[in-house]
Amino acid sequence: MAGILLKPTSSLLIVLTCFFSSSVATSGAGKPHRFSRTLLPESVGLKQEETATHLHFYFHDILGGTNPTAVPIVEAAATKTSATAFGRVIMMDDPLTETLEATSKLVGRCQGFYAYASQSEFSFLMVMNFAFTEGEYNGSTLSVLGRNPVQSTVREMPVVGGTGLFRFARGYAQAETRTFDLKTGDAVVEYNVFVVH
Ligand SMILES: *[C@@H]1O[C@H](CO)[C@@H](O)[C@H](O)[C@H]1NC(C)=O
């Protein structure tokens, strides 16, 4: 069978997989349904040698004006009396651009939400997907889930996964606020993202 062309460990996996699937196939009528099966890493595109990528872009969080890209969606009763707006949630569909200028080339969008998660400082829970639209990364995404204490100079958040070219991605994102408008809350944040995938 196929195992003869593969390494000993791989053939063992195939033998075990075949054994598992045939034992389950007999237990139900019609098409066999398996809860799990072992795959060869290459069969799902997991390369033996990983690629490391550095992405650099600017995130524009626009709350003011007539075309906001970030809107408050939830607030607790206690948020009004909280010095750190604890409990507020903002939904965003923020443009990501190549340079600091909002009119520079769009490389993607950041879609997700951030929640005011601290009672003692301005610190957000970030739940966001970077959906890239530029060049080879068009259609690929990275998911970030992390803590963002916005008054710190550099904030680091984990990249927990990705799609497309970023399948199996893991890494980290570093955020540094470049401009912040106290009146509107508008901010431009520089992102440096390092991922292996
Ligand atoms: C990205 O992909 C979409 C869908 O395939 C396509 O319509 C669009 O023109 C592409 N954008 C760029 C900048 O290549």
Side-chain angles (χ1 to χ4, degrees):
M1 52 173 272
I4 55 170
L5 293 173
L6 299 162
K7 291 171 290 182
T9 49
S10 304
S11 25
L12 179 62
L13 282 182
I14 287 190
V15 169
L16 286 175
T17 304
C18 293
F19 173 75
F20 181 61
S21 59
S22 57
S23 64
V24 171
T26 55
S27 63
K31 206 174 159 214
H33 293 281
R34 279 176 292 163
F35 172 59
S36 71
R37 61 195 175 114
T38 304
L39 299 175
L40 294 173
E42 310 86 74
S43 73
V44 287
L46 191 62
K47 297 182 282 286
Q48 292 302 318
E49 279 177 38
E50 292 182 308
T51 310
T53 303
H54 171 208
L55 297 154
H56 175 246
F57 51 82
Y58 292 82
F59 158 107
H60 300 260
D61 196 47
I62 305 152
L63 290 115
T66 49
N67 290 309
T69 62
V71 294
I73 52 163
V74 178
E75 201 165 275
T79 300
K80 287 178 180 51
T81 55
S82 165
T84 57
F86 180 60
R88 180 177 298 159
V89 180
I90 311 281
M91 196 83 205
M92 62 185 160
D93 182 6
D94 287 345
L96 305 174
T97 63
E98 204 166 55
T99 71
L100 187 67
E101 284 72 44
T103 51
S104 66
K105 188 197 262 182
L106 187 75
V107 298
R109 303 197 75 86
C110 173
Q111 297 171 335
F113 62 85
Y114 56 93
Y116 288 66
S118 170
Q119 292 182 291
S120 58
E121 61 179 325
F122 285 103
S123 183
F124 302 152
L125 160 70
M126 308 295 289
V127 180
M128 56 187 176
N129 291 313
F130 293 133
F132 299 103
T133 51
E134 176 54 27
E136 61 174 320
Y137 301 111
N138 186 10
S140 296
T141 68
L142 285 175
S143 297
V144 172
L145 175 68
R147 178 173 179 267
N148 186 5
V150 285
Q151 284 166 316
S152 303
T153 311
V154 183
R155 292 89 67 184
E156 185 169 312
M157 292 163 265
V159 174
V160 297
T163 66
L165 279 187
F166 293 124
R167 282 176 184 172
F168 300 110
R170 63 199 185 286
Y172 62 96
Q174 288 183 322
E176 281 184 74
T177 303
R178 289 299 171 217
T179 69
F180 180 65
D181 184 325
L182 270 175
K183 209 181 276 176
T184 59
D186 292 359
V188 180
V189 181
E190 183 175 0
Y191 269 89
N192 279 289
V193 182
F194 298 87
V195 284
V196 292
H197 51 97

